[in-house]
Amino acid sequence: MSMYDDSGLSDRFAALAPEPLSGNWDEVLDRAGTARNGRERLERLRAVSGRRRRLVVVLAALALATAVTTAAWAIVREVVRHESFVALPPVGATPSAPESGELVIHYRDLGHAGGGWGWVYADGRLITVSAAPQAVSASRPAGSDVPEAANRWSSGLLEQRLTPEGVELLRSEIVSTGLFEHPAGSRSDIHNVIQVRIDDRLVRVNANFPKRLRERLIDPASWLPASAWANRRIRAYVPSRYEIWYGASPQTLERSRILPLLPATAEDLLRAKDAVPAQGDIGTPGFPPHPVTRYHSVLTTEEARAVTQALDDAGPKRPPVDLVYQFEIPGTSVDPAPPEKGPVRNVVTIMFFPYLPHGETVALGVG
């Protein structure tokens, strides 16, 4: 996640950690076991019931299932086309293709209505996300192709397709601003960044965007000609992979102590994955900045769905942020420094981040 401040993600951990949700891991694990046992009993009942059915009923059911499945796939495609999301995409949604792509343009322009991020690839994909989705939606006419916002903090990742001409027109518009004449000395705005591929390398500047450029990046369809678009219609971007981050705070825990606390499906899947430890500092009320370890693994969308389903089935509570889970850990309480009251129970935080075609992840849905 090198395109984004890691400190921002540390702030997210810190914001979630001071007020851990009430819960009991033993209860969570018991419920997970009960759910698995219940599913096993249900499968046995289905098998017995199935043997008693007549062949004609089975054939009729198969015919109905085929018709329903065909309709369901059409609905999934339509949902993904017209509705954005921050959580995992609907089952059956077709991932954006190709899975990887060469980044030509990237921008992050925050602090105003319609601010957000954008990525343009050599294959023509234009992927955007608005950090003020209500403002963007309100500015578009009724009946436009802009999907509803995924939540009140994020539009979700949205995708359009440019032609090679369109990619070059957008790149030329950015370069013509003069922002890249002295990129090494640009420090006017540390939060706003723009990168453009020039002579086979990405050149980055931090700057306040000129008004004309800002308006054109917010709504490229308002000025790019029809020949610049391979597919102007906006649809949700569907990633092929997710990165999962998990760790404990305020007191860090080894991965070997975290995984056994998870439901069996999630534990087995994550144990089989390579996990890269990342060191960072986190500060919370009562605890000055101190080192913690987070573990990162790469999952396919299907694997990410299996993990989130296992966590949901186990019954944990989630804070109001998409694809973030939190669990208290019994027996690992920590005494904070005065004047804070203690003890504070340690909390495991689990986050999922979608991969973009150039191999980096992005954090969405942050309140």
Side-chain angles (χ1 to χ4, degrees), residues 4-324:
Y4 299 89
D5 262 345
D6 187 61
S7 61
L9 292 173
S10 295
D11 291 342
R12 295 180 67 193
F13 272 93
L16 292 169
E19 298 180 2
L21 303 174
S22 60
N24 186 299
W25 263 112
D26 295 333
E27 180 183 347
V28 169
L29 295 177
D30 287 343
R31 293 179 66 180
T34 301
R36 287 194 295 273
N37 293 337
R39 284 194 294 271
E40 291 171 0
R41 289 195 296 272
L42 179 60
E43 291 301 324
R44 287 197 294 272
L45 287 173
R46 285 176 177 168
V48 171
S49 176
R51 287 194 292 269
R52 295 173 182 170
R53 291 175 183 167
R54 298 188 180 209
L55 179 60
V56 64
V57 176
V58 173
L59 292 176
L62 287 174
L64 178 61
T66 301
V68 171
T69 300
T70 302
W73 275 92
I75 291 171
V76 166
R77 287 196 296 269
E78 197 67 12
V79 165
V80 173
R81 184 176 296 119
H82 292 297
E83 295 184 12
S84 53
F85 51 84
V86 172
L88 295 174
V91 175
T94 303
S96 177
E99 183 176 328
S100 60
E102 180 184 65
L103 187 64
V104 177
I105 300 167
H106 163 65
Y107 60 87
R108 180 180 68 219
D109 185 25
L110 304 177
H112 64 92
W117 299 262
W119 301 264
V120 181
Y121 297 88
D123 57 33
R125 277 178 291 183
L126 167 61
I127 298 174
T128 57
V129 56
S130 171
Q134 297 97 330
V136 174
S137 298
S139 69
R140 303 301 172 89
S144 70
D145 287 336
V146 179
E148 290 296 321
N151 62 30
R152 67 191 179 102
W153 301 295
S154 173
S155 66
L157 290 165
L158 305 175
E159 178 181 337
Q160 295 168 282
R161 291 271 179 165
L162 298 169
T163 62
E165 175 192 356
V167 173
E168 182 53 33
L169 283 172
L170 191 54
R171 195 191 73 85
S172 298
E173 178 70 22
I174 294 171
V175 173
S176 69
T177 61
L179 292 174
F180 291 86
E181 292 179 3
H182 305 286
S186 62
R187 293 291 185 273
S188 59
D189 193 319
I190 62 172
H191 298 294
N192 294 343
V193 62
I194 191 162
Q195 289 181 294
V196 173
R197 190 167 292 278
I198 301 175
D199 297 330
D200 294 327
R201 68 186 185 92
L202 282 173
V203 181
R204 171 187 176 125
V205 298
N206 292 81
N208 290 313
F209 291 15
K211 182 175 184 292
R212 170 188 163 107
L213 177 62
R214 174 169 287 164
E215 292 173 347
R216 293 198 160 196
L217 291 177
I218 289 175
D219 190 9
S222 66
W223 63 278
L224 285 174
S227 58
W229 296 97
N231 190 345
R232 177 174 164 172
R233 192 169 192 180
I234 300 174
R235 55 161 293 170
Y237 168 76
V238 180
S240 298
R241 299 179 300 153
Y242 281 78
E243 184 174 50
I244 182 173
W245 289 27
Y246 54 96
S249 63
Q251 183 177 23
T252 193
L253 288 180
E254 294 295 326
R255 178 172 179 254
S256 59
R257 295 186 61 188
I258 296 175
L259 292 182
L261 298 173
L262 303 179
T265 299
E267 177 189 1
D268 294 343
L269 198 154
L270 292 179
R271 194 179 297 279
K273 293 288 182 179
D274 291 333
V276 178
Q279 305 295 328
D281 290 331
I282 187 171
T284 62
F287 295 92
H290 56 282
V292 295
T293 302
R294 296 174 301 218
Y295 300 93
H296 304 189
S297 295
V298 180
L299 307 177
T300 65
T301 299
E302 291 73 20
E303 290 170 336
R305 185 175 286 111
V307 173
T308 58
Q309 186 63 60
L311 294 173
D312 289 338
D313 288 347
K317 303 298 182 183
R318 288 197 286 181
V321 181
D322 296 276
L323 291 181
V324 177

